[in-house]
Amino acid sequence: MTRSIELGTTDEFVARHIGPREDDIAHMLERLGYDSLDALSASVIPESIKGTSVLDLPAGLGEAEALAAIKAIAARNQQFTSHIGQGYYPCHTPSPILRNLLENPAWYTAYTPYQPEISQGRLEALLNFQTLISDLSGLPVANASLLDEATAAAEAMTFCKRLAKNKASNAFFASRHCHPQTLAVLRTRAEPLGIEVVVGDENALDDAARYFGALLQYPTSEGEIGDYRALIEGFHAAGALVAVAADLLALTLLTPPGELYADVALGSAQRFGVPLGFGGPHAAYFATRDSFKRDMPGRLVGLSIDRHGKPALRLAMQTREQHIRREKATSNICTAQVLLANIASMYAVYHGPQGLTRIARRMHRLTAILAEGLAALGLPAEQRHFFDTLTLASGARTATLHQRARAQRINLREIDDTRLGLSLDETTTQAQVEALWALFADAGQALPDFASLAARASDRLPAELQRQSAFLTHPVFNRYHSETELMRYLRRLADKDLALDRSMIPLGSCTMKLNAASEMIPITWSDFGNLHPFAPAEQSQGYRQLTDELEAMLCACTGYDAVSLQPNAGSQGEYAGLLAIRAYHHSRGDAARDICLIPASAHGTNPATASMAGMRVVVTACDARGNVDIDDLRAKAEEHKERLAALMITYPSTHGVFEEGIREICAIVHDNGGQVYIDGANMNAMVGLCAPGKFGGDVSHLNLHKTFCIPHGGGGPGVGPIGVKSHLAPFLPGHAAMERQDGAVCAAPFGSASILPITWMYIRMMGGAGLKRASQLAILNANYIARRLEEHYPVLYTGGNGLVAHECILDLRPLKDSSGISVDDVAKRLIDFGFHAPTMSFPVAGTLMIEPTESESRAELDRFIDAMIRIREEIRAVEQGELDKQDNPLKNAPHTAAELVGDWHHPYSREQAVYPVASLLEGKYWPPVGRVDNVYGDRNLVCACPPIEAYQDA
């Protein structure tokens, strides 16, 4: 007799992704008084929105099956040799950086370094990036990256508008020689603000007084190198500021923008070791003069000291978060591309100034040899001076040449019907140069001899613009050139930090969940990494299948009818969503609708985004339970009925509860002519349980780096696609490379395309049932923490059944009154227990917002809970006089190993300081610095690598 066996997948991913085991789930449910997850979620989800979930997805695949499926999709992409250029270039990612940084969870699972004591490693890497940018650009202050070159240019435009002396002007000049995708994003960003973007030829400009600012490209998009000094002086004389978009690698050989008198330098660091990736993610850079540093967009890493006087890094000044300024923010860009900036910084560390110069000079020499050979074939380049890019007047042969090139698996740049472009790069070989000559030669025409041309071809850099100033002289760029040294340097930096590979990161509103290895594997495949974003559509069929399927999956998760994957950050998704609403109103003749209602509890990026979209912010009140005050909302919606454009609301609320009145809120806005934007930051509580597109939302952005498992990367990358109802679908972001060509919000048509496989893998492996279970477990874990801690710390807000959503807020304000212990003290003390702090003082000052996610096990939840209870006992000891009010473990936290082995003058023991619970004996994280002094750093701003003597003196 034979026995049948049950056949299924070889593994089940859902159980790998979700932390608690079945016994744990039963225990936690019993603690909450429920007998099933369905019963718990039924008590949390308001009656008015139950049954709105439309999650129609197939069963989840096993990890091996999903990897095989996405491998087949990737194989549909065609990898041609790319000479398209236009701001995107093939390059080599050094293997030790690939293995020890990009593929290392110690780097990619870290959160933004808002807690500097546990972020010194990635902060040092970012300081290296800022130094790299400052040195190469010739400007003293550089930020820690922006989203891409085009959005950096848009930030430069509004930066010039704020700071230029020519206050009467509302016109911005942009050279027609800038990259086309940059000009497109400039137009998108300018229109809602009433800025006129004038695109013209700077060589024919005679009316500089008309403009408040200007953008120039160096070298130009077509390859020409010009001397901008006289032009920039003319703009300055007229009271305008000038931004120069510069090729970072070219600046190793060319006079930097700062020495040309530019006020801003910007561009992309992509060719410093970051794959093409069909357009992203790539780190942009932005540098400016010292006098403008407090108006610079983005984040700035600065040097300060800790409480022992030791040098310590932290995010400086206003850059800790633009959202503090709300509608008065200079930008809504609160995200950066940290992981990519760190790759670029380590590329510079590994190669050093000599290595970078050697790469750039080789590239230029090959281009000069290529140009000599093309001239011999009767196709001289249009440029007299160039770095790595040529433009050819190919005339009537243009279309034929493109066809011939593609037949040989080569892509050239399509400039227009009679001209084409060629860009070389770090990966270009002699054989590829010879292949290009063969491509352009007529039948029977003799090909140039590479060796003879190499012997006599001269450099084509203008003599007056060859770089004379030194760069990257700091020791960090001149030491780690062997793989052994770089490997150890990367390990040393990673060991300074806390990331998800060490412990739970319980940040409310930030959803720090598992980024599974199987999700991450495809992003380093060449089939995804080596594709140029402007390659012909027939070569990107794998990406097209991936994006089509992912858009459908996200529609199923949200209840919306269409999705755009273009926005490459949550903040940019917000912006794209409001632009869609704005365009919809304009299409109906309602251009006067410019009022955006925003609850007082909203994410700070919301009001900043509304201002950027040309809307006026009207704040609505919240009630004592943290819910939107519906009466106040109704009154303000009716008051502004003729001008109401939108409501921006986060759901579940920023206070961590499902508001009962969400349907009524949406109806009020719709009845008064507005549209409802539902911020998707908290989608991790809703997938499979309720759908914003079905209970009143017109548009939502989704944080793929939160709910859908793309890792935060230490503060970027992110993806912030928007889902819309059908009436808004015609107003989704467009792009020159897409069917609808206007309205681009970032440089590449699919934004950060190369990390989309992460979310595709997550959804396919989880399946519909798995995604619902993840939401239920996120809710269970949050309520378990709230229930266990409520007798120690008040839970500030709960829903109607005394339950929270996927996060909870603990109120520490009474403890400050009774003990003098602040929320900062508790956050820093958690470091001694090996934890990243929860979100501090948001949305309510003096509170901690905790979000455990579904990926954390009950054991890890209990470890965190035990730490919080032990901290409450220490606070009680302060209250009762058993611990000194000033010299206690909380006020002095975190404690370093150096302090432990030095002279000990505290009234509490070393053991209590660093081993407050027994579990730490098995594995202790040691913070590299004590509590960082932010005030000292802001008063003594240093934002590039300091001389080594600074550390020695300290």
Side-chain angles (χ1 to χ4, degrees):
M1 177 179 177
T2 60
R3 297 178 60 188
S4 63
I5 59 172
E6 184 178 344
L7 297 176
T9 60
T10 55
D11 56 1
E12 184 192 21
F13 177 74
V14 176
R16 309 293 189 193
H17 175 80
I18 289 174
R21 306 294 90 188
E22 290 299 327
D23 288 348
D24 298 322
I25 293 170
H27 171 86
M28 291 190 287
L29 285 169
E30 182 180 4
R31 182 88 183 216
L32 295 171
Y34 292 90
D35 58 8
S36 69
L37 287 172
D38 287 340
L40 173 65
S41 53
S43 292
V44 171
I45 306 296
E47 287 294 332
S48 64
I49 62 173
K50 284 178 182 172
T52 59
S53 176
V54 290
L55 195 58
D56 183 17
L57 292 169
L61 296 176
E63 293 180 63
E65 293 174 290
L67 283 168
I70 201 167
K71 189 71 172 177
I73 292 173
R76 298 188 64 201
N77 292 325
Q78 300 180 56
Q79 298 182 57
F80 284 24
T81 300
S82 176
H83 296 297
I84 297 172
Q86 202 173 317
Y88 298 93
Y89 308 91
C91 61
H92 294 303
T93 305
S95 294
I97 295 176
L98 175 70
R99 175 61 60 87
N100 299 299
L101 198 163
L102 179 58
E103 297 179 340
N104 184 348
W107 287 90
Y108 67 70
T109 70
Y111 185 61
T112 303
Y114 295 147
Q115 294 287 340
E117 297 84 1
I118 55 176
S119 308
Q120 291 295 297
R122 78 199 83 130
L123 284 167
E124 181 173 331
L126 288 175
L127 193 72
N128 293 345
F129 177 81
Q130 291 178 182
T131 305
L132 164 70
I133 301 306
S134 181
D135 279 12
L136 287 180
S137 70
L139 288 164
V141 184
N143 70 18
S145 77
L146 289 174
L147 298 176
D148 61 21
E149 180 170 339
T151 52
E155 293 292 331
M157 175 178 66
T158 52
F159 178 90
C160 291
K161 178 65 175 170
R162 291 192 300 275
L163 296 173
K165 295 177 181 177
N166 188 1
K167 299 298 183 184
S169 172
N170 214 37
F172 184 75
F173 177 82
S175 168
R176 69 179 181 87
H177 303 295
C178 291
H179 294 315
Q181 67 271 20
T182 297
L183 297 177
V185 172
L186 279 181
R187 292 188 183 100
T188 299
R189 290 280 288 270
E191 193 272 334
L193 300 176
I195 294 173
E196 179 189 5
V197 175
V198 179
V199 178
D201 188 343
E202 64 272 19
N203 300 309
L205 188 70
D206 58 3
D207 57 347
R210 178 185 173 190
Y211 305 103
F212 66 79
L215 176 68
L216 309 171
Q217 191 91 37
Y218 178 68
T220 69
S221 187
E222 296 85 7
E224 184 69 50
I225 300 173
D227 189 339
Y228 291 137
R229 277 173 280 214
L231 179 65
I232 292 173
E233 285 183 333
F235 276 114
H236 285 167
L241 299 182
V242 179
V244 172
D247 183 299
L248 202 56
L249 195 58
L251 297 183
T252 63
L253 305 180
L254 295 176
T255 300
E259 295 176 22
L260 301 178
Y261 319 129
D263 303 289
V264 173
L266 61 96
S268 172
Q270 177 265 316
R271 66 191 322 176
F272 276 51
V274 182
L276 286 167
F278 204 45
H282 303 140
Y285 72 86
F286 190 108
T288 190
R289 303 192 176 282
D290 185 75
S291 57
F292 297 150
K293 60 179 177 270
R294 292 183 184 273
D295 284 277
M296 185 173 61
R299 295 170 179 155
L300 184 68
V301 176
L303 181 69
S304 186
I305 57 174
D306 71 1
R307 69 181 180 89
H308 307 295
K310 177 182 176 182
L313 300 168
R314 94 288 186 236
L315 292 181
M317 302 187 306
Q318 83 283 5
T319 60
R320 278 189 289 273
E321 260 301 8
Q322 282 280 3
H323 77 214
I324 295 169
R325 301 182 177 192
R326 299 180 71 81
E327 66 270 21
K328 294 181 176 62
T330 56
S331 168
N332 80 330
I333 302 298
C334 66
T335 44
Q337 299 281 25
V338 169
L339 188 67
L340 297 314
N342 285 341
I343 291 172
S345 82
M346 290 306 160
Y347 182 90
V349 166
Y350 195 41
H351 288 295
Q354 292 81 16
L356 294 178
T357 302
R358 186 166 53 250
I359 291 168
R361 193 159 295 285
R362 176 184 177 275
M363 194 183 303
H364 176 66
R365 289 290 300 152
L366 283 173
T367 312
I369 294 166
L370 172 64
E372 290 282 346
L374 289 172
L377 293 171
L379 272 173
E382 291 183 355
Q383 294 78 23
R384 179 184 173 200
H385 299 297
F386 52 78
F387 169 56
D388 65 354
T389 295
L390 308 173
T391 301
L392 306 179
S394 43
R397 302 173 57 199
T398 303
T400 300
L401 286 170
H402 281 299
Q403 291 173 0
R404 287 174 59 183
R406 289 169 194 166
Q408 297 177 41
R409 300 183 67 82
I410 296 171
N411 286 328
L412 310 175
R413 180 175 173 186
E414 300 180 41
I415 296 178
D416 55 40
D417 291 342
T418 61
R419 297 159 72 238
L420 56 79
L422 286 166
S423 291
L424 303 191
D425 56 73
E426 179 188 8
T427 70
T428 302
T429 63
Q430 174 181 334
Q432 289 171 343
V433 170
E434 292 171 336
L436 288 170
W437 286 335
L439 173 67
F440 288 102
D442 292 328
Q445 192 175 17
L447 297 181
D449 179 70
F450 188 94
S452 61
L453 282 184
R456 70 172 190 265
S458 58
D459 282 358
R460 301 289 289 275
L461 303 174
E464 69 276 12
L465 287 175
Q466 293 195 34
R467 183 168 191 135
Q468 303 300 316
S469 53
F471 59 93
L472 302 187
T473 59
H474 191 275
V476 75
F477 297 104
N478 295 279
R479 174 179 171 183
Y480 305 108
H481 300 331
S482 75
E483 180 167 341
T484 305
E485 285 288 312
L486 182 70
M487 174 181 66
R488 289 173 181 163
Y489 181 52
L490 288 169
R491 173 61 186 266
R492 189 158 65 249
L493 294 186
D495 281 349
K496 294 180 178 183
D497 289 3
L498 261 182
L500 270 176
D501 65 326
R502 286 187 192 265
S503 71
M504 170 185 179
I505 301 182
L507 284 153
S509 191
C510 294
T511 317
M512 296 294 297
K513 66 202 292 183
L514 173 70
N515 316 119
S518 289
E519 295 159 7
M520 299 299 295
I521 285 171
I523 69 167
T524 55
W525 290 345
S526 63
D527 286 331
F528 286 129
N530 289 351
L531 212 64
H532 194 287
F534 305 137
E538 63 270 15
Q539 296 172 25
S540 58
Q541 291 304 299
Y543 263 116
R544 193 59 202 237
Q545 180 182 346
L546 178 88
T547 54
D548 285 349
E549 291 182 4
L550 186 52
E551 288 171 6
M553 292 173 185
L554 294 175
C555 284
C557 291
T558 60
Y560 287 112
D561 302 311
V563 164
S564 169
L565 297 168
Q566 188 179 122
N568 56 6
S571 54
Q572 204 173 77
E574 291 180 17
Y575 180 65
L578 286 196
L579 287 187
I581 289 173
R582 186 175 187 272
Y584 168 74
H585 287 312
H586 284 220
S587 74
R588 291 159 53 87
D590 276 346
R593 292 193 175 274
D594 64 350
I595 296 293
C596 185
L597 302 180
I598 300 180
S601 64
H603 286 101
T605 53
N606 290 172
T609 298
S611 294
M612 285 178 59
M615 296 182 184
R616 292 185 294 148
V617 174
V618 173
V619 177
T620 68
C622 292
D623 64 22
R625 293 178 58 198
N627 297 322
V628 171
D629 185 324
I630 295 180
D631 290 338
D632 184 62
L633 174 77
R634 180 182 289 106
K636 286 173 177 169
E638 291 175 353
E639 176 187 354
H640 299 288
K641 182 174 184 177
E642 301 305 317
R643 302 188 71 94
L644 181 59
L647 165 74
M648 297 185 82
I649 185 170
T650 301
Y651 199 78
S653 76
T654 312
H655 293 138
V657 296
F658 282 93
E659 299 190 37
E660 297 282 348
I662 185 63
R663 274 195 183 273
E664 183 181 359
I665 289 168
C666 295
I668 289 169
V669 173
H670 288 146
D671 289 346
N672 287 282
Q675 296 283 287
V676 176
Y677 170 95
I678 296 179
D679 187 313
N682 293 338
M683 212 36 222
N684 207 47
M686 290 197 287
V687 180
L689 300 176
C690 54
K694 296 297 183 182
F695 60 70
D698 298 293
V699 54
S700 293
H701 89 268
L702 305 171
N703 297 98
L704 299 194
H705 49 289
K706 294 183 181 182
T707 302
F708 295 99
C709 288
I710 290 176
H712 285 66
V719 181
I722 56 171
V724 297
K725 299 298 286 183
S726 58
H727 64 282
L728 293 181
F731 310 106
L732 288 171
H735 197 281
M738 302 169 70
E739 292 84 356
R740 197 173 69 79
Q741 304 209 356
D742 59 331
V745 296
C746 71
F750 291 95
S752 295
S754 68
I755 54 177
L756 296 178
I758 300 169
T759 296
W760 187 98
M761 285 287 291
Y762 171 66
I763 296 176
R764 284 300 286 117
M765 291 190 293
M766 292 294 283
L771 291 172
K772 177 182 177 181
R773 189 170 179 82
S775 299
Q776 291 178 313
L777 264 293
I779 291 171
L780 173 64
N781 284 358
N783 279 281
Y784 177 69
I785 285 179
R787 183 60 53 86
R788 283 205 58 198
L789 288 179
E790 63 186 357
E791 62 184 280
H792 306 281
Y793 306 88
V795 176
L796 191 56
Y797 300 113
T798 61
N801 293 317
L803 298 168
V804 298
H806 64 309
E807 58 193 2
C808 62
I809 298 177
L810 302 183
D811 191 356
L812 274 64
R813 292 171 297 181
L815 300 180
K816 178 70 180 295
D817 297 335
S818 65
S819 67
I821 299 300
S822 70
V823 67
D824 295 74
D825 298 328
V826 174
K828 303 310 180 188
R829 183 59 171 151
L830 275 167
I831 296 172
D832 288 327
F833 289 80
F835 285 106
H836 193 297
T839 301
M840 295 193 315
S841 293
F842 177 81
V844 179
T847 66
L848 290 176
M849 182 160 63
I850 301 167
E851 181 181 353
T853 85
E854 71 276 10
S855 295
E856 297 300 340
S857 67
R858 179 188 158 200
E860 185 70 354
L861 300 181
D862 285 337
R863 194 171 75 87
F864 173 76
I865 291 165
D866 290 345
M868 289 296 294
I869 293 172
R870 180 72 181 111
I871 288 171
R872 182 62 184 94
E873 291 170 353
E874 292 180 340
I875 296 172
R876 188 171 293 109
V878 175
E879 291 170 331
Q880 296 172 354
E882 298 169 11
L883 285 172
D884 186 85
K885 279 192 172 292
Q886 294 303 320
D887 193 358
N888 59 63
L890 294 114
K891 289 290 184 184
N892 294 328
H895 298 81
T896 64
E899 181 180 12
L900 184 71
V901 300
D903 293 334
W904 189 260
H905 302 295
H906 302 301
Y908 54 94
S909 70
R910 288 178 170 88
E911 182 180 18
Q912 181 175 358
V914 301
Y915 292 115
V917 291
S919 61
L920 292 170
L921 294 169
E922 296 181 6
K924 170 72 178 174
Y925 166 75
W926 292 98
V929 297
R931 193 175 306 194
V932 176
D933 188 334
N934 285 322
V935 174
Y936 178 93
D938 285 348
R939 290 175 177 170
N940 304 274
L941 185 65
V942 176
C943 51
C945 292
I948 202 70
E949 293 77 22
Y951 292 91
Q952 292 171 342
D953 293 344

